[in-house]
Amino acid sequence: MMSLGAKITGTIIRIYTYKYRKNHLSLSSSVKFKNKKYTPPKNYKFVVKLFCGTKIEILSPNSPDCRYAIVHFHGGGSTQTMNGMYRRVSEKLSELSNAEVYSIDYKTGEELVYPSVHDECYTAYVELVSTVLRDKKIIAIGDSFGANILLSVCLRLRDKNLPLPDAIISVSCCIDLAATGSSYEKNCYRDPLYSLPKNQSFKEYEKDIRRKIKYVGDASPYDKFLSPAYADYDAFPPMLIQCGEAETSESDNDLLYEKALKCGVNVKMTKYYGMWHDFQYLTPFLKESKQAWREIGEFLNSVMK
């Protein structure tokens, strides 16, 4: 059952996003987060370094656990840069683990098409882990399109016989860019971020719910490196999957879980009833979000032990 706070917040989000949903606009392209100058919390250090030309933001507690590092792939499609919300996520990850967090601030823009962002993140990750993170165990986390990039990077690493992260956390993944799953119909009126207005029928507007994002370009949406839903997960490390049960892309998470389970991965998936895409990032003050963050903290601690 949803908390009262989640019900109220979901209604507010639904009202705010209505003008975008009725016109079938991309939220990641249309809604811009304020990107103020960042000041890290007390007792933390913050630097930005380049790895193969890609900016990586490094948030470090004063006395970090030097055995581990977290590599953070932010979401927002190919149009949202690192912003205040994602920096708060980095703070939370470091707080829960006492580890340094490396956030890949890949280049974004409406003009970008596959494989530009995927290639950039792969190259930056390989440079990062072969240099400053060479002797550390790595936990990688990605949300939404960031989870797509993370899984794609890991698939390329595995296929090239390169080391994978020691654990993976996937939050509200968008990994089926063909949008074939049943949840696009099941949740077409439930998701306060991406649902259809009640006066628009699924049959008439199905193509808008299952929309093809510009980033796909001329590539096949069934390419496993663009849509990791169509990959296998042999030899993957332990994985935690979280999503909201009301997401239009809920079934992307189901596909990842089923594929990982089939390949013998030590994987756990938790769905939060009635919750929306990236709820633990967007609305961390809710009861459900706090529960999700506790679970992430427990997973981090289990890996680090």
Side-chain angles (χ1 to χ4, degrees):
M1 182 178 293
M2 290 176 72
S3 67
L4 178 60
K7 290 178 181 178
I8 294 170
T9 303
T11 300
I12 293 170
I13 292 172
R14 190 178 296 276
I15 293 168
Y16 176 79
T17 60
Y18 177 74
K19 61 184 178 181
Y20 304 107
R21 293 185 292 110
K22 75 173 182 178
N23 294 307
H24 315 292
L25 298 175
S26 165
L27 285 178
S28 60
S29 299
S30 303
V31 179
K32 301 301 180 185
F33 286 84
K34 292 181 180 179
N35 205 358
K36 299 178 182 178
K37 182 179 178 181
Y38 178 62
T39 302
K42 186 178 179 182
N43 299 322
Y44 278 83
K45 299 173 185 175
F46 176 77
V47 296
V48 179
K49 295 185 178 180
L50 291 177
F51 291 84
C52 290
T54 298
K55 288 191 294 184
I56 294 185
E57 298 188 355
I58 306 168
L59 182 68
S60 175
N62 283 346
S63 300
D65 185 334
C66 294
R67 299 170 300 164
Y68 295 88
I70 296 174
V71 180
H72 174 205
F73 294 78
H74 74 80
S78 58
T79 57
Q80 283 282 358
T81 61
M82 275 293 291
N83 55 49
M85 180 182 76
Y86 284 118
R87 292 187 180 105
R88 287 191 293 274
V89 167
S90 296
E91 292 170 8
K92 189 70 176 176
L93 290 168
S94 187
E95 176 190 333
L96 290 170
S97 64
N98 194 41
E100 292 182 322
V101 178
Y102 292 74
S103 299
I104 301 178
D105 186 12
Y106 53 85
K107 299 175 187 69
T108 58
E110 292 279 357
E111 74 285 356
L112 297 176
V113 294
Y114 177 77
S116 60
V117 173
H118 287 73
D119 282 353
E120 180 185 0
C121 289
Y122 174 78
T123 303
Y125 180 87
V126 170
E127 175 70 11
L128 180 65
V129 300
S130 63
T131 54
V132 295
L133 300 186
R134 183 175 59 249
D135 300 320
K136 298 180 187 288
K137 291 190 173 183
I138 295 168
I139 303 165
I141 182 169
D143 73 290
S144 191
F145 191 69
N148 179 310
I149 299 168
L150 161 59
L151 293 167
S152 178
V153 166
C154 290
L155 290 167
R156 290 171 71 170
L157 292 170
R158 184 201 61 190
D159 290 358
K160 292 176 182 289
N161 294 314
L162 295 173
L164 273 71
D166 294 273
I168 291 170
I169 302 172
S170 170
V171 175
S172 292
C173 69
C174 289
I175 60 169
D176 178 11
L177 297 192
T180 60
S182 60
S183 63
Y184 290 89
E185 180 174 6
K186 172 198 161 199
N187 291 331
C188 71
Y189 297 116
R190 297 183 67 212
D191 188 333
L193 288 165
Y194 300 107
S195 63
L196 293 171
K198 290 291 179 68
N199 63 347
Q200 294 183 1
S201 71
F202 176 78
K203 184 176 180 180
E204 184 178 359
Y205 290 95
E206 181 175 3
K207 64 177 177 59
D208 295 299
I209 281 284
R210 300 185 191 272
R211 64 188 173 85
K212 175 183 173 182
I213 63 172
K214 291 180 180 178
Y215 179 74
V216 174
D218 295 327
S220 167
Y222 300 98
D223 179 338
K224 72 176 184 179
F225 296 114
L226 174 59
S227 289
Y230 300 101
D232 69 79
Y233 289 88
D234 289 324
F236 263 58
M239 190 183 301
L240 172 65
I241 302 168
Q242 289 185 346
C243 71
E245 180 266 344
E247 294 187 40
T248 52
S249 54
E250 175 197 12
S251 49
D252 289 40
N253 298 269
D254 292 333
L255 285 167
L256 176 59
Y257 177 68
E258 291 162 7
K259 288 289 190 78
L261 204 62
K262 184 178 180 180
C263 291
V265 177
N266 178 8
V267 58
K268 177 184 179 182
M269 179 167 71
T270 306
K271 292 185 184 182
Y272 290 81
Y273 179 77
M275 300 306 289
W276 47 87
H277 188 74
D278 264 8
F279 67 92
Q280 54 276 74
Y281 284 24
L282 289 164
T283 51
F285 51 85
L286 293 175
K287 177 182 177 181
E288 290 84 352
S289 302
K290 291 176 181 178
Q291 183 181 344
W293 275 112
R294 279 196 297 273
E295 183 181 42
I296 289 173
E298 290 166 2
F299 181 78
L300 290 169
N301 289 326
S302 70
V303 173
M304 295 174 75
K305 284 180 181 177

